[in-house]
Amino acid sequence: MLENDRTQPELAPAGAIQNRAGMNSEGWFEYLVRVYPHNTDYSGVVWHGTYLAWMEEARVESLRSLGIEYADWVAQGLELPVVELSLRYHRSVQMGQSVAVRTRIGASEGVRLVWDYEIRSADTQELYVTAQVTLVGVDRDKGKIMRQLPPTVQAALAKLASNP
């Protein structure tokens, strides 16, 4: 950093590779991660639960890339628990690799938000995992499923869906 330059670089989340995060022309948000030893089992293969953590990170970062802070939704009393999850493992990811975790909002309806995922090689040529996660809006104070999402959340999701 130059002496006169007081801007600080934005730090990537733990495990994220700083370059190439963002939306592509097909509406996929790409979040690159590097596979560290703690992401793997004893044979150096990525542990199955790690994929879920990466997918959640990618989902939160895709919103953040549009100026939407997930923490703000939580502070407003909105919970978005997973109610359905489907993963297909096509091939294993090994320690030391870098992968692109791709996510986009799918065919959502009402308070049910469907997210599609692909985990691919960093060059996107090899497919490792495909997944779909369904979240549902819950009012934290009442502990009940919402009849509709708050207007600010609806607007944010519309922004996400229209941002190819």
Side-chain angles (χ1 to χ4, degrees):
M1 182 162 67
L2 298 174
E3 190 173 330
N4 292 339
D5 183 4
R6 299 287 180 217
T7 60
Q8 295 292 320
E10 187 171 333
L11 298 176
I17 299 172
Q18 285 189 334
N19 60 357
R20 214 181 84 199
M23 295 282 179
N24 71 14
S25 62
E26 300 163 345
W28 288 102
F29 175 83
E30 290 188 349
Y31 177 74
L32 297 179
V33 293
R34 193 171 286 124
V35 181
Y36 294 107
H38 69 273
N39 300 130
T40 66
D41 61 18
Y42 292 106
S43 66
V45 173
V46 171
W47 177 68
H48 66 277
T50 300
Y51 297 109
L52 297 174
W54 289 344
M55 291 178 346
E56 183 171 16
E57 290 172 16
R59 182 175 64 244
V60 170
E61 288 299 314
S62 71
L63 293 168
R64 191 169 173 265
S65 76
L66 297 171
I68 303 162
E69 291 293 337
Y70 189 85
D72 293 344
W73 288 358
V74 173
Q76 294 169 16
L78 172 64
E79 296 286 342
L80 288 169
V82 172
V83 295
E84 191 171 348
L85 169 67
S86 171
L87 276 91
R88 169 139 179 139
Y89 300 99
H90 300 275
R91 59 182 2 177
S92 62
V93 178
Q94 306 290 318
M95 182 175 13
Q97 283 185 270
S98 295
V99 293
V101 182
R102 296 162 42 116
T103 187
R104 65 182 174 191
I105 191 83
S108 299
E109 185 175 313
V111 296
R112 296 176 65 83
L113 307 176
V114 179
W115 291 81
D116 297 320
Y117 295 89
E118 293 181 346
I119 298 178
R120 293 182 165 271
S121 57
D123 66 5
T124 70
Q125 299 303 304
E126 298 281 341
L127 179 64
Y128 299 109
V129 175
T130 52
Q132 192 170 73
V133 174
T134 303
L135 309 170
V136 66
V138 171
D139 182 315
R140 186 179 58 222
D141 295 335
K142 295 178 183 175
K144 295 185 177 183
I145 294 175
M146 296 178 160
R147 292 186 185 269
Q148 65 180 24
L149 295 171
T152 56
V153 174
Q154 290 178 27
L157 293 172
K159 181 179 177 182
L160 183 63
S162 68
N163 194 0

